[in-house]
Amino acid sequence: IAVAFSCSQKTLPVAVFLFDAYFREYPLAVVPMLCYHVGQLVVDTFIADGLAHRAPAVADLPAEATV
């Protein structure tokens, strides 16, 4: 779960770097990069929801497992 969230959080800084380094003369080039980032966050929401339903809750574990 942590890997899924950490990977999605890196897309915006990388996109801003690419925009600054290569596409500065094209101001609308940032739009697809931002759309991709927002789309990835939306997809991550569904993935996190699915993973949350798959993982057992702490209250469902036996007492020995929580120690």
Side-chain angles (χ1 to χ4, degrees):
I1 296 171
V3 170
F5 285 113
S6 65
C7 291
S8 68
Q9 299 303 315
K10 292 181 182 181
T11 57
L12 190 60
V14 170
V16 170
F17 172 76
L18 288 173
F19 175 75
D20 190 44
Y22 299 106
F23 302 111
R24 187 174 278 222
E25 59 271 3
Y26 306 107
L28 292 178
V30 76
V31 173
M33 297 175 193
L34 290 176
C35 290
Y36 178 79
H37 178 70
V38 171
Q40 191 173 25
L41 292 177
V42 169
V43 170
D44 283 347
T45 301
F46 291 114
I47 292 172
D49 189 44
L51 291 174
H53 291 299
R54 258 172 71 197
V58 175
D60 295 340
L61 294 175
E64 301 86 36
T66 58
V67 176

